[in-house]
Amino acid sequence: MFYERIARPLFFTMPPEFVHRLSMIALAHSPMAAALEPFARKNYPALEKKVFGLIFPNPIGVAAGFDKNAECVNAWPRLGFGFMELGTITPKPQPGNPSPRIFRLPAQQGLINRMGFPNLGMDAVARRLEKIKAAGRWPRIPVGMNIGKNKDTPLEEAGRDYLACFRRTRDLADYFVVNVSSPNTPGLRQLQRGDFLDSILGPLRDEDPQALRPLLIKIAPDLVEEDLVEIVAAVEKYRLVGIVATNTTIDKTGLPLQEQGGVSGRPLTSRSTEIIRAVSRLTGGRVPIIGVGGIFNAVDAREKLEAGATLLQLYTGFVYEGPLVVRKICGGL
Ligand SMILES: Cc1cc2nc3c(=O)[nH]c(=O)nc-3n(C[C@H](O)[C@H](O)[C@H](O)COP(=O)(O)O)c2cc1C
């Protein structure tokens, strides 16, 4: 109630990226996460899952993009999350697109963003994680690393960027996600097609031929059936352990704001569920799916699980529902 009546209305008077920055600082450097923990975190033994060799205390994770630079690694478990996906990181640091680059759609419970992978670069993020490890403060929930390419890297050379990010962080995360689905890096989504997929996934597989590190691919919700068939074939060929479905959509039909970027939240809910259902059908349910896109409550979560997802993530639901959202969803499940 406090979040909906007081915090959210206050936050929504301020620019979205500023609120995000403020929240990250509060979660990273103050006793905020510790203060929230008694309200936000609860054990749900019945929800524990073992997926691709990792133990997830519950299936609700922080989606990529929220903690791009691994600033709040110790806060996410306190807020009840069952896992976190850091990044997207790129080999070199980059500033992303000019601000403003996040826009709210309050009536639709959505966001449009065109961040363009602003991040400190793989070295700075890796050093941060090395420090946490060395200090014995490694979180007890699985940590994923979402990897991407720099804006100025030509698509033909993208494979090198993904490989560099993987090499740098391979001992600093529990699973890895090849992000070929952000709409905000020019041409990136073309990497979801056959030849390009080979040029990225081939070198990654050669780097880890025994598939010791769980590797997944994150896909766009705007793919058609034949794209999905191609992706599922690549998942099998390169022995990926899962598919993250989905990133934001470029479809802004019916939305009152037509800013360039990707749409997340409620306007994405059913589309991402349909992609999960299609992927699950194409893989015969054999490949774990991390379902993401417009999850706000237990009903949304259950719909995605019933469509074939094994794990779930949220970003926009956290913005609209607040820091107790994981507990509410887990309790409902
Ligand atoms: C502001 C913002 C930044 C994001 N940045 C990334 C990113 O860096 N990498 C990525 O794979 N997805 C990114 N995403 C996509 C989310 O991880 C997620 O796939 C998408 O928002 C749908 O989930 P949601 O409806 O719960 O937000 C971002 C989303 C938002 C809203």
Side-chain angles (χ1 to χ4, degrees):
M1 272 325 228
F2 174 79
Y3 187 80
E4 278 136 54
R5 292 268 173 85
I6 295 164
R8 186 176 63 196
L10 181 70
F11 285 160
F12 277 27
T13 63
M14 299 180 257
E17 202 173 341
F18 175 74
V19 178
H20 183 255
R21 196 66 245 133
L22 209 65
S23 317
M24 294 296 284
I25 292 170
L27 288 174
H29 301 293
S30 79
M32 176 73 96
L36 286 168
E37 184 170 5
F39 307 99
R41 199 183 72 80
K42 201 177 161 207
N43 289 332
Y44 293 95
L47 295 182
E48 184 182 296
K49 281 189 178 180
K50 190 171 178 193
V51 192
F52 35 85
L54 303 172
I55 293 175
F56 295 78
N58 72 60
I60 310 297
V62 195
F66 211 102
D67 191 2
K68 292 170 186 289
N69 296 312
E71 290 172 83
C72 296
V73 170
N74 294 110
W76 302 122
R78 296 191 132 160
L79 295 184
F81 283 100
F83 66 111
M84 69 186 86
E85 190 170 311
L86 307 172
T88 300
I89 57 162
T90 56
K92 290 179 290 171
Q94 62 178 26
N97 291 318
S99 298
R101 52 193 182 174
I102 309 179
F103 306 87
R104 295 188 189 98
L105 295 160
Q108 290 73 26
Q109 290 193 301
L111 296 172
I112 298 178
N113 94 82
R114 52 166 178 268
M115 299 294 281
F117 299 163
N119 78 107
L120 298 176
M122 62 180 186
D123 278 319
V125 174
R127 277 197 299 273
R128 200 167 261 169
L129 293 171
E130 281 161 354
K131 259 193 196 161
I132 296 174
K133 217 165 214 186
R137 291 171 49 236
W138 197 255
R140 286 178 202 196
I141 59 175
V143 177
M145 183 59 76
N146 184 302
I147 59 180
K149 77 165 200 73
N150 278 115
K151 185 181 177 186
D152 60 7
T153 302
L155 292 183
E156 294 69 28
E157 293 165 27
R160 265 187 247 166
D161 277 14
Y162 289 89
L163 186 59
C165 290
F166 176 68
R167 279 191 176 142
R168 185 67 184 89
T169 57
R170 63 181 296 158
D171 295 324
L172 298 167
D174 300 305
Y175 75 87
F176 297 84
V177 180
V178 172
N179 182 6
V180 281
S181 48
S182 164
N184 302 312
T185 293
L188 192 86
R189 285 171 306 137
Q190 288 178 43
L191 299 176
Q192 294 175 113
R193 303 264 141 73
D195 287 358
F196 280 131
L197 275 183
D198 289 328
S199 72
I200 295 168
L201 301 179
L204 286 171
R205 181 46 64 234
D206 291 344
E207 183 70 14
D208 180 18
Q210 295 185 60
L212 298 175
R213 301 288 187 280
L215 189 63
L216 294 83
I217 186 167
K218 183 164 178 177
I219 62 174
D222 308 306
L223 300 176
V224 294
E225 177 92 2
E226 56 183 290
D227 303 324
L228 295 178
V229 169
E230 213 164 48
I231 285 175
V232 167
V235 165
E236 282 164 8
K237 180 173 175 191
Y238 294 104
R239 288 175 289 138
L240 305 194
V241 299
I243 298 174
V244 184
T246 68
N247 217 311
T248 55
T249 175
I250 52 168
D251 183 3
K252 295 180 198 90
T253 313
L255 295 178
L257 194 67
Q258 295 290 317
E259 285 289 344
Q260 208 191 317
V263 181
S264 60
R266 186 56 72 200
L268 177 61
T269 309
S270 61
R271 182 184 283 256
S272 94
T273 305
E274 286 319 308
I275 295 280
I276 292 165
R277 205 185 306 284
V279 170
S280 178
R281 174 170 45 79
L282 290 169
T283 61
R286 282 185 299 273
V287 178
I289 299 168
I290 301 184
V292 49
I295 300 173
F296 289 74
N297 53 46
V299 173
D300 302 328
R302 183 162 300 125
E303 258 172 33
K304 289 220 170 10
L305 294 171
E306 280 169 3
T310 304
L311 297 166
L312 304 167
Q313 292 176 329
L314 39 100
Y315 187 130
T316 308
F318 188 70
V319 172
Y320 279 87
E321 301 294 320
L324 307 192
V325 66
V326 180
R327 182 166 180 169
K328 283 190 212 157
I329 294 177
C330 287
L333 287 178

